[in-house]
């Protein structure tokens, strides 16, 4: 069966490998390129306002482990408990006015988790970026585990001891010690914690 758009004589594409001297020339050109240096300034600025400055405002306890590439927005509305571990490339966005994100003690974030306490309206006109936002607090209890790529929407509440499976979309309430998965997240089990 012939593929659409394929030449009958095509052997496939080959990756171009640069010689050592070609790589050296490319390196010299990139070091001398003023646009690369200007872009570096933009990256430093972004890192400052999305991570460094928010960490100074929030002042999480020293026993928290927060990856250096976590992105915070509206940090004055974010509360982080003790011994929280936040994985790489997470986004924690509180609302621009009153929408808070409250994270309890001993919470574990996998990589790429997104928590937002605000969302744009979409029926008020165009463009969507000029519309007002609706805000609602997000509250995450103690000893919660959010798996990789979990999304938590405004107004969600996750009870103490809950586990949210990778890729889940949380809206509304998740009870304490629940195991929830899916889009939207639904409870599929209960965490059994042995008494100490």
């Amino acid at each position: 069966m012939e593929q659409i758009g394929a030449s009958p004589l095509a052997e496939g594409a080959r990756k171009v490998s640069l010689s050592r001297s070609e790589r050296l020339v490319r390196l010299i050109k990139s070091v001398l390129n003023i646009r690369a240096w200007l872009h570096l300034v933009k990256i430093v600025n972004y890192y400052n306002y999305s991570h460094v400055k928010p960490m100074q405002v929030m002042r999480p306890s020293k026993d928290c482990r927060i990856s250096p590439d976590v992105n915070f927005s509206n940090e004055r509305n974010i509360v982080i408990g003790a011994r929280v571990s936040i994985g790489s490339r997470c986004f924690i966005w509180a609302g621009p006015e009153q929408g808070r994100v409250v994270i309890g003690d001993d919470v574990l974030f996998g990589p790429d988790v997104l928590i937002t306490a605000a969302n744009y309206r979409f029926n008020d006109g165009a463009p969507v970026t000029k519309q007002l936002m609706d805000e609602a607090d997000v509250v995450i209890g103690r000893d919660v585990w959010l798996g990789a790529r979990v999304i938590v929407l405004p107004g969600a509440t996750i009870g103490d001891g809950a586990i949210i499976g990778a890729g889940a979309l949380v809206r509304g309430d998740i009870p304490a010690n629940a195991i929830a998965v899916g889009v939207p997240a639904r409870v599929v089990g209960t965490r059994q914690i042995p008494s100490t």
Side-chain angles (χ1 to χ4, degrees), residues 77-79 92-95 98-104 109 114-118 135-141 146 151-158 170 172:
N77 292 332
I78 299 172
V79 178
I92 302 174
W93 297 340
Q98 76 272 357
R100 299 183 331 134
V101 173
V102 179
I103 301 167
F109 285 66
L114 167 64
I115 298 175
T116 181
E135 299 178 77
D137 292 350
V138 172
V139 179
I140 299 172
L146 303 174
I151 297 173
V152 182
L153 296 178
T157 301
I158 301 174
V170 179

Side-chain angles (χ1 to χ4, degrees), residues 27 39 50 55 69 100 110 116 128-129 144 174 187 191 193:
L27 172 66
H39 191 68
S50 68
M55 291 287 285
D69 58 354
R100 299 183 331 134
T116 181
V128 71
T129 56
V144 170
I174 301 294
V187 176
R191 183 177 175 196
I193 303 174

Side-chain angles (χ1 to χ4, degrees), residues 38-184:
L38 292 174
H39 191 68
L40 179 62
V41 170
K42 287 182 177 180
I43 291 170
V44 170
N45 180 51
Y46 172 78
Y47 185 65
N48 182 53
Y49 74 74
S50 68
H51 186 85
V52 175
K53 183 178 144 290
M55 291 287 285
Q56 292 170 338
V57 170
M58 294 180 305
R59 297 186 185 270
S61 61
K62 293 192 185 304
D63 54 6
C64 288
R65 295 182 320 213
I66 299 174
S67 182
D69 58 354
V70 173
N71 181 297
F72 298 99
S73 185
N74 303 309
E75 59 276 1
R76 70 190 177 286
N77 292 332
I78 299 172
V79 178
I80 298 176
R83 299 171 303 280
V84 170
S85 180
I86 303 178
S88 184
R89 299 176 311 276
C90 291
F91 292 85
I92 302 174
W93 297 340
E97 291 183 10
Q98 76 272 357
R100 299 183 331 134
V101 173
V102 179
I103 301 167
D105 297 340
D106 301 300
V107 173
L108 173 62
F109 285 66
D112 298 309
V113 171
L114 167 64
I115 298 175
T116 181
N119 208 349
Y120 284 106
R121 296 177 183 173
F122 51 85
N123 285 326
D124 293 347
V128 71
T129 56
K130 299 294 183 193
Q131 296 185 51
L132 296 175
M133 300 179 88
D134 291 322
E135 299 178 77
D137 292 350
V138 172
V139 179
I140 299 172
R142 295 177 297 106
D143 191 30
V144 170
W145 176 13
L146 303 174
R149 297 192 172 144
V150 166
I151 297 173
V152 182
L153 296 178
T157 301
I158 301 174
D160 294 347
I163 296 174
I164 310 299
L169 175 75
V170 179
R171 60 181 190 186
D173 297 335
I174 301 294
N177 296 319
I179 300 170
V181 299
V183 178

